[in-house]
């Protein structure tokens, strides 16, 4: 057991941004707020046989990478916002740690070491968050309405007056939003506001989706319209599920869209569609992914988990044909609309299917493609790469696996699992991998990896056992992620 006055030497940072040390008994201690290289005292909150969890109490030797947080609501104090976990760590060190997390996961979970480590993809570290889900709570006992992320390790909403990772104009809107909700008849039945900001060439478009559990009164509708006119906001209403989302005023300003100017593309979207949180990083990421994929004008490409066509349409500007496959019928429909909008309908086709249930014959049914782009959710693409491994072991006549695969991941654990299958059973080399700092100041690790088919590859005498599926091996507790 760690004594209250024991000094601990922190030698690492885990994926939850906790310092990692060992106490006098050799037991691992995870310390919230501590950084590598620091000598600290900590208060133990939880004990298990092999580890303890603690909170920083005092620093005897401070890390050179410790910085002043950019937000007054960040910290370990009561009521602190839980949206960010790394504001006390220098930005360059945050990126280095995320790169190390990626490397460690690839090796320890997938037994894969990339031949090349890519330079991390970076961008703005403040005001970057163009999507967010803000909780709303009318606290009757205190007579206030709170709008923001949850408190650290709590179901309560943090008392936020500003937010440094939201766009400045949205941060400045937090207190007015609190006043608006407090004035509404339905203030006790409004649990959530979802933010979506578009950044098309026409300028920023800000949409707020209000979740309401009962019909809004005419007076509440008028209050929303007045607020929207004053703050330049489009209000959308969500009475039930995502399919019920609609504009409060159908004629209220331009559509939401984001641009991919390097490819001459404009991508309209609805406020509840999945789009990347960080639009600047997304633009860089699309350019990076296509450069790594190395598509030629005469080639066919398949974009797995294509969403609303974020990579698909960019690929269509460089290839002969692109097939985008996605599990959501709604997003597939949006992809087709975007292809028509950008004049790429003749080079693209789309299909909706469950990509978590794939087998080798399914791959053959979609046809051969020289190159694949895979961009799955946190669960990864286990069924897809397992089907590819099955094809390698039992070839299907007329079907050729892709020569090159670029895999964009939002979970290093599931990427590592899938990389292990690709390298040890499907006949691919791990060419390169690198971190993508999509969510600065949070513990969220985005990454990109490249795999190249080994011509003439044969099965080893004793094939490596397939890794077990990992549904969500890395917990995500950041509200801001």
């Amino acid at each position: 057991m760690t004594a209250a006055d024991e000094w601990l030497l922190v030698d690492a940072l885990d994926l939850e941004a906790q310092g990692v040390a060992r106490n006098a008994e050799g037991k691992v201690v995870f310390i919230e707020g501590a950084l590598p290289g620091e000598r600290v005292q900590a208060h133990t909150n939880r004990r298990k046989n092999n580890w303890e969890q603690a909170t920083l109490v005092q620093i005897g030797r401070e890390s050179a990478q410790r910085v002043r947080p950019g937000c007054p609501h960040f910290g370990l104090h009561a009521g602190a916002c839980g949206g960010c976990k790394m504001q006390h760590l220098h930005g360059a060190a945050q990126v280095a740690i995320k790169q190390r997390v990626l490397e460690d996961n690839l090796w320890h979970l997938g037994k894969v070491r990339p031949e090349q480590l890519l330079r991390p993809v970076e961008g703005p570290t403040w005001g970057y968050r163009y999507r967010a889900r803000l909780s709303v709570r009318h606290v009757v006992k205190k007579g206030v309405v709170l709008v923001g992320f949850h408190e650290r390790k709590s179901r309560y909403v943090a008392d936020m007056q500003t937010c440094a990772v939201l766009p400045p104009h949205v941060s400045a809107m937090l207190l007015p939003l609190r006043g608006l909700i407090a004035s509404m008849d339905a203030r006790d039945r409004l649990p959530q506001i979802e933010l979506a900001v578009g950044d098309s060439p026409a300028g920023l478009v800000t949409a707020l989706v209000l979740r309401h559990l009962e019909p809004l009164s005419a007076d509440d509708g008028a209050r929303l319209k007045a607020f929207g006119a004053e703050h330049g906001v489009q209000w959308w209403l969500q009475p039930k599920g995502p399919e019920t989302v609609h504009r409060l005023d159908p004629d209220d300003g331009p559509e939401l869209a984001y641009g991919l100017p390097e490819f001459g593309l404009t991508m309209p979207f609805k406020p509840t569609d999945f789009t990347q949180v960080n639009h600047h990083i997304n633009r860089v990421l699309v350019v990076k992914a296509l450069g790594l994929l190395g598509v030629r004008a005469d080639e066919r490409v398949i974009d797995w988990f294509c969403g609303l066509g974020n990579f698909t349409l960019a690929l269509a500007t460089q290839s002969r044909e692109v097939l985008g496959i996605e599990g959501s019928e709604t997003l597939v429909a949006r992809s087709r609309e975007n292809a028509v909008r950008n004049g790429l309908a003749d080079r693209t086709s789309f299909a909706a299917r469950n990509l978590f249930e794939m087998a080798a014959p399914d791959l053959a049914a979609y046809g051969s493609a020289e190159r694949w782009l895979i961009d799955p959710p946190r669960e990864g693409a286990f069924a897809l790469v397992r089907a590819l491994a099955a094809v390698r072991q039992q070839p299907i006549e007329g079907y050729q696996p892709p020569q090159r695969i670029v895999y964009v991941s939002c979970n290093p654990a599931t990427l590592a699992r899938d990389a292990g299958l690709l390298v040890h059973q499907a006949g691919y080399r791990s060419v390169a991998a690198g971190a993508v700092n999509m969510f600065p100041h949070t513990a969220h690790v985005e990454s990109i990896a490249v795999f190249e088919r080994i011509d003439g590859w044969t099965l080893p005498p004793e094939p490596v056992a397939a890794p077990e599926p990992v549904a969500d091996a890395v917990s995500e507790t950041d509200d801001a992620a």
Side-chain angles (χ1 to χ4, degrees):
M1 184 176 71
T2 304
D5 61 350
E6 182 177 348
W7 288 99
L8 303 170
L9 180 60
V10 182
D11 56 17
L13 203 70
D14 74 355
L15 191 53
E16 295 296 323
Q18 300 175 118
V20 182
R22 288 186 180 274
N23 64 16
E25 299 173 351
K27 183 185 288 187
V28 174
V29 184
F30 299 100
I31 310 168
E32 286 189 283
L35 296 177
E38 293 186 330
R39 185 169 172 264
V40 305
Q41 289 180 333
H43 172 72
T44 300
N45 305 311
R46 189 180 179 193
R47 293 184 178 89
K48 294 290 184 178
N49 290 336
N50 298 321
W51 56 270
E52 295 180 4
Q53 192 165 40
T55 302
L56 177 68
V57 172
Q58 184 176 346
I59 301 176
R61 183 179 68 209
E62 186 174 275
S63 167
Q65 300 298 327
R66 183 176 286 276
V67 297
R68 181 184 296 276
C71 176
H73 305 299
F74 174 85
L76 302 178
H77 57 277
C81 176
C84 298
K85 290 188 175 180
M86 290 187 171
Q87 285 194 24
H88 59 311
L89 179 63
H90 189 278
Q94 292 182 29
V95 176
I97 284 171
K98 292 179 182 185
Q99 181 81 13
R100 182 59 182 270
V101 166
L102 171 62
E103 294 174 54
D104 286 349
N105 273 263
L106 285 171
W107 177 243
H108 293 300
L109 299 180
K111 301 304 178 188
V112 170
R113 280 204 173 99
E115 297 169 12
Q116 177 188 356
L117 292 177
L118 300 170
R119 183 176 179 177
V121 176
E122 300 182 66
T125 57
W126 302 106
Y128 67 85
R129 191 172 180 81
Y130 278 25
R131 295 197 66 93
R133 184 172 291 123
L134 304 174
S135 295
V136 178
R137 186 69 54 85
H138 177 215
V139 186
V140 177
K141 291 182 179 179
K142 296 182 179 180
V144 298
V145 168
L146 303 177
V147 177
F149 299 121
H150 287 111
E151 294 179 358
R152 182 179 62 91
K153 293 189 173 182
S154 169
R155 61 184 180 86
Y156 295 112
V157 180
D159 187 355
M160 296 168 53
Q161 299 181 24
T162 62
C163 178
V165 298
L166 291 176
H169 74 286
V170 178
S171 175
M173 212 183 294
L174 290 177
L175 286 178
L177 274 172
R178 289 165 63 159
L180 167 67
I181 301 299
S183 73
M184 294 178 66
D185 300 329
R187 57 184 171 271
D188 293 315
R189 304 290 287 167
L190 307 173
Q192 176 182 294
I193 296 174
E194 191 163 351
L195 165 73
V197 177
D199 64 347
S200 66
L204 293 181
V205 178
T206 304
L208 296 177
V209 182
L210 180 64
R211 178 77 174 97
H212 56 100
L213 304 179
E214 63 183 33
L216 297 180
S217 67
D219 287 344
D220 279 352
R223 292 180 181 106
L224 291 173
K225 288 181 180 180
F227 183 95
E230 180 181 354
H231 295 276
V233 166
Q234 287 180 8
W235 280 106
W236 295 64
L237 303 180
Q238 183 181 345
K240 293 184 179 178
E243 72 284 352
T244 66
V245 171
H246 62 281
R247 279 200 195 192
L248 174 64
D249 183 352
D251 299 320
D252 185 17
E255 66 182 353
L256 282 169
Y258 67 89
L260 294 173
E262 296 82 1
F263 305 97
L265 300 173
T266 298
M267 305 289 289
F269 64 96
K270 302 298 182 186
T272 51
D273 287 344
F274 173 80
T275 58
Q276 292 289 7
V277 160
N278 191 324
H279 286 194
H280 177 86
I281 290 292
N282 181 62
R283 289 195 295 271
V284 177
L285 180 60
V286 173
V287 172
K288 182 83 168 179
L290 268 65
L292 292 169
L293 201 56
V295 178
R296 295 195 295 264
D298 62 341
E299 291 181 326
R300 181 175 189 257
V301 185
I302 298 180
D303 179 11
W304 301 95
F305 304 92
C306 71
L308 51 76
N310 186 53
F311 290 103
T312 321
L313 300 192
L315 287 164
T317 67
Q318 299 186 354
S319 63
R320 170 175 58 86
E321 174 192 350
V322 186
L323 170 61
I325 305 177
E326 165 62 42
S328 166
E329 293 274 5
T330 299
L331 287 178
V332 166
R334 203 89 72 234
S335 297
R336 292 193 179 105
E337 293 169 5
N338 287 344
V340 172
R341 165 77 173 267
N342 288 279
L344 294 168
D346 60 335
R347 293 191 183 184
T348 57
S349 58
F350 297 92
R353 72 151 294 146
N354 183 355
L355 292 174
F356 299 106
E357 295 180 1
M358 294 287 292
D362 300 317
L363 299 186
Y366 287 116
S368 300
E370 286 82 0
R371 301 177 196 272
W372 281 9
L373 191 138
I374 307 175
D375 183 18
R378 291 185 60 77
E379 293 83 357
F382 184 74
L384 182 65
V385 298
R386 183 175 55 186
L388 194 57
V391 167
R392 192 67 184 191
Q393 295 176 50
Q394 294 185 332
I396 297 175
E397 184 176 355
Y399 178 78
Q400 282 293 320
Q403 183 64 36
R404 177 167 280 221
I405 298 170
V406 168
Y407 189 132
V408 178
S409 168
C410 58
N411 183 342
T414 53
L415 168 62
R417 176 204 63 199
D418 296 346
L421 268 178
L422 287 170
V423 169
H424 299 303
Q425 294 198 28
Y428 287 81
R429 296 163 40 225
S430 176
V431 176
V436 178
N437 199 22
M438 184 71 75
F439 294 83
H441 310 298
T442 77
H444 185 98
V445 180
E446 194 98 2
S447 54
I448 188 168
V450 185
F451 302 91
E452 184 82 21
R453 194 177 78 205
I454 303 172
D455 292 327
W457 183 90
T458 58
L459 282 172
E462 295 182 3
V464 177
E468 291 298 319
V470 179
D472 194 5
V474 181
S475 66
E476 184 54 75
T477 58
D478 290 305
D479 273 303

